[in-house]
Amino acid sequence: DEYQWKGPFYFIQGADPQFGLMKAWAVGDINNGDDEWGEEIKLAEQAVQAINKLNPKPKFFVLCGDLIHGMPGTQWRKNQEQDLKNVLKNTDQDIPLVFVSGNHDIGNTPTRETIDNYCKNWGDDYFCFWVGGVFFLVLNSQLYFDSSKCPDLKRAQDAWLNEQLAIAQKQKCKHIIVFQHIPLFLRKPDEEHDYFNLEKSVRQEIMEKFHKAGIKAVFSGHYHRNAGGSYRGLEMVVSSAIGCQLGEDTHGLRVVVVTDEKIVHRYYSLNELSSQGIEKELLDMLAKQN
């Protein structure tokens, strides 16, 4: 049923609730300073309440990684995960949650064990789904960042991805959209590699593959600021955090409207989305039946 295009719809993208980072950042101890996250709990609750009030309802709510701050094996991790789950279970039951793994969820250099633990807690680290004729792919970007401790898992994701793109080709989907934690790039496809983007040769290979497959957009987080750019018709959308801000942006969520022709999105602060909801221009796009 979901293979068929049924007219415009929208979804909500959030990133980096990252319970614990605000305190760690404030005290300047990124590794052990994450022993409080009351601030993040409030922000995540505000995000859920804002989403629950929206009318019409979004098709789903995707969280693009760094669900919590505590790295695998660290002291507060279990409590952070539990507290986030307690907040998220108040999401309207008609709005499915989609989870993307980030570096804090499975480690900067993931292992089979850290990925298995994530999967037990949050679901698969990569998978695909269809909504109204649109094909969505969720990827584990840590395997592109550093798969030195689990090269076989990277090969498995690559093989799976090629398979899915071949299926998408046959199905004649309306659009293909990708979710991953680490952006391919922040502003320019040929920018230098650093902590916040993928290594240049890896990036080039993925961008080319995505371009050939006709992928329209990649949505990510990780940067804790809004950014983005494009590569040969592929839009790279980098959304700021629900949690700790590292730039001038506000805690927020991105509303993404999918129409017959295009994908239109806007980042809203949590206050804006809570008090005003989605602006008329986007609602009008949703109302247009094909």
Side-chain angles (χ1 to χ4, degrees), residues 234-264:
L234 167 72
E235 190 182 4
M236 180 68 242
V237 184
V238 185
S239 293
S240 197
I242 292 171
C244 188
Q245 299 300 313
L246 301 183
E248 301 302 306
D249 294 297
T250 46
H251 309 280
L253 294 164
R254 193 172 291 277
V255 172
V256 186
V257 175
V258 183
T259 75
D260 194 8
E261 279 100 46
K262 57 190 179 185
I263 295 151
V264 182

Coordinates of all heavy atoms in Angstrom, one line a residue, residues 234-264:
L234 N 21.6 16.7 -5.4 CA 21.4 16.0 -4.1 C 21.5 17.1 -3.0 O 22.5 17.7 -2.9 CB 22.4 14.9 -3.9 CG 22.6 14.3 -2.5 CD1 21.4 13.4 -2.2 CD2 23.9 13.6 -2.4
E235 N 20.4 17.3 -2.2 CA 20.5 18.3 -1.1 C 21.0 17.6 0.2 O 20.5 16.6 0.6 CB 19.2 18.9 -0.9 CG 19.3 20.2 0.0 CD 18.0 20.9 0.4 OE1 16.9 20.4 -0.1 OE2 18.1 21.9 1.1
M236 N 22.0 18.3 0.8 CA 22.5 17.8 2.1 C 21.9 18.8 3.1 O 22.2 20.0 3.1 CB 24.0 17.9 2.1 CG 24.7 17.5 3.4 SD 24.5 15.7 3.7 CE 23.6 15.8 5.3
V237 N 21.1 18.3 4.0 CA 20.4 19.1 5.0 C 20.9 18.7 6.4 O 20.8 17.6 6.9 CB 18.9 18.8 5.0 CG1 18.2 19.8 6.0 CG2 18.3 19.0 3.6
V238 N 21.6 19.7 7.1 CA 22.1 19.5 8.4 C 21.3 20.2 9.4 O 21.2 21.5 9.3 CB 23.6 20.0 8.5 CG1 24.2 19.6 9.8 CG2 24.4 19.4 7.3
S239 N 20.6 19.5 10.3 CA 19.7 20.1 11.3 C 20.4 20.3 12.7 O 21.1 19.4 13.1 CB 18.5 19.3 11.5 OG 17.7 19.4 10.3
S240 N 20.1 21.4 13.3 CA 20.7 21.7 14.6 C 20.0 20.8 15.6 O 19.0 20.0 15.3 CB 20.5 23.1 15.0 OG 21.4 23.4 16.1
A241 N 20.4 20.9 16.9 CA 20.0 19.9 17.9 C 18.7 20.3 18.7 O 18.4 21.5 18.8 CB 21.1 19.8 18.9
I242 N 18.0 19.2 19.2 CA 17.0 19.5 20.2 C 17.7 19.9 21.4 O 17.2 20.8 22.2 CB 16.2 18.1 20.4 CG1 15.4 17.8 19.1 CG2 15.3 18.3 21.6 CD1 14.8 16.4 19.2
G243 N 18.9 19.3 21.7 CA 19.6 19.5 22.9 C 20.6 20.7 22.8 O 20.3 21.7 22.2
C244 N 21.9 20.4 23.2 CA 22.9 21.4 23.3 C 23.2 22.1 21.9 O 23.4 21.4 20.9 CB 24.2 20.8 23.8 SG 25.5 21.9 24.2
Q245 N 23.2 23.4 21.9 CA 23.6 24.2 20.7 C 25.0 24.6 20.8 O 25.5 25.0 21.8 CB 22.7 25.5 20.6 CG 21.2 25.2 20.6 CD 20.8 24.4 19.4 OE1 21.2 24.7 18.2 NE2 20.0 23.4 19.6
L246 N 25.7 24.4 19.6 CA 27.1 24.8 19.5 C 27.3 26.0 18.7 O 28.4 26.5 18.5 CB 28.0 23.6 19.0 CG 27.9 22.3 19.8 CD1 28.8 21.3 19.2 CD2 28.3 22.5 21.3
G247 N 26.2 26.6 18.2 CA 26.3 27.8 17.4 C 25.2 28.8 17.8 O 24.9 28.8 19.0
E248 N 24.7 29.5 16.8 CA 23.7 30.5 17.1 C 22.3 30.1 17.0 O 21.3 30.9 17.2 CB 23.9 31.7 16.2 CG 25.3 32.3 16.2 CD 25.7 32.9 17.6 OE1 24.9 33.6 18.2 OE2 26.7 32.4 18.2
D249 N 22.0 28.8 16.7 CA 20.7 28.3 16.4 C 20.0 28.1 17.8 O 20.6 28.0 18.8 CB 20.7 27.1 15.6 CG 21.2 27.4 14.2 OD1 20.5 28.1 13.5 OD2 22.3 26.8 13.8
T250 N 18.6 27.9 17.7 CA 17.8 27.6 18.8 C 17.5 26.1 18.9 O 17.6 25.5 17.8 CB 16.5 28.4 18.8 OG1 16.0 28.2 17.5 CG2 16.7 29.8 19.1
H251 N 17.2 25.6 20.0 CA 16.7 24.2 20.1 C 15.5 24.0 19.2 O 14.6 24.8 19.3 CB 16.3 23.9 21.6 CG 17.3 24.3 22.6 ND1 18.4 23.5 22.9 CD2 17.4 25.4 23.4 CE1 19.2 24.1 23.8 NE2 18.6 25.3 24.1
G252 N 15.6 23.0 18.3 CA 14.4 23.0 17.4 C 14.2 21.7 16.7 O 14.9 20.7 17.0
L253 N 13.3 21.7 15.7 CA 12.9 20.6 14.9 C 12.8 21.0 13.5 O 12.5 22.2 13.2 CB 11.6 20.0 15.4 CG 11.6 19.3 16.8 CD1 10.1 19.2 17.3 CD2 12.3 18.0 16.8
R254 N 12.9 20.1 12.6 CA 12.7 20.5 11.1 C 11.4 19.8 10.6 O 11.2 18.6 10.8 CB 13.9 20.0 10.3 CG 13.9 20.6 8.9 CD 15.2 20.3 8.2 NE 16.4 20.9 8.8 CZ 16.8 22.2 8.5 NH1 16.1 22.9 7.6 NH2 17.8 22.7 9.0
V255 N 10.6 20.6 10.0 CA 9.4 20.2 9.4 C 9.7 19.9 7.9 O 10.2 20.8 7.2 CB 8.2 21.2 9.5 CG1 7.0 20.8 8.7 CG2 7.9 21.4 11.0
V256 N 9.4 18.7 7.4 CA 9.8 18.4 6.0 C 8.5 18.0 5.2 O 7.9 17.0 5.6 CB 10.8 17.2 5.9 CG1 11.3 17.0 4.5 CG2 12.0 17.5 6.9
V257 N 8.2 18.8 4.2 CA 7.0 18.5 3.4 C 7.4 17.9 2.1 O 8.3 18.4 1.4 CB 6.2 19.9 3.1 CG1 5.1 19.6 2.2 CG2 5.7 20.5 4.4
V258 N 6.8 16.8 1.8 CA 7.1 16.0 0.6 C 5.9 16.2 -0.4 O 4.8 15.8 -0.1 CB 7.3 14.5 0.9 CG1 7.7 13.8 -0.4 CG2 8.4 14.4 2.0
T259 N 6.2 16.9 -1.5 CA 5.2 17.0 -2.6 C 5.5 16.2 -3.8 O 6.6 15.6 -3.8 CB 5.0 18.5 -3.0 OG1 6.1 18.9 -3.8 CG2 4.9 19.4 -1.8
D260 N 4.7 16.2 -4.7 CA 4.9 15.5 -6.0 C 6.2 15.8 -6.6 O 7.0 14.9 -7.0 CB 3.7 15.9 -6.9 CG 3.6 15.0 -8.1 OD1 4.4 13.9 -8.1 OD2 2.9 15.3 -9.0
E261 N 6.5 17.1 -6.7 CA 7.7 17.6 -7.3 C 9.0 17.7 -6.4 O 10.1 17.6 -6.9 CB 7.5 19.0 -8.0 CG 6.8 18.9 -9.3 CD 5.4 19.3 -9.1 OE1 5.1 20.3 -8.4 OE2 4.6 18.6 -9.7
K262 N 8.7 18.1 -5.2 CA 9.9 18.5 -4.4 C 9.8 18.2 -2.9 O 8.7 17.8 -2.4 CB 10.2 20.0 -4.6 CG 9.0 20.9 -4.3 CD 9.3 22.3 -4.8 CE 8.0 23.1 -4.4 NZ 8.0 24.5 -4.8
I263 N 10.9 18.5 -2.2 CA 11.0 18.3 -0.8 C 11.3 19.7 -0.2 O 12.3 20.3 -0.5 CB 12.1 17.3 -0.4 CG1 11.7 15.9 -1.0 CG2 12.3 17.2 1.1 CD1 12.8 15.0 -1.3
V264 N 10.4 20.2 0.6 CA 10.5 21.5 1.2 C 10.6 21.4 2.7 O 9.9 20.6 3.3 CB 9.3 22.4 0.8 CG1 9.4 23.8 1.3 CG2 9.0 22.4 -0.7

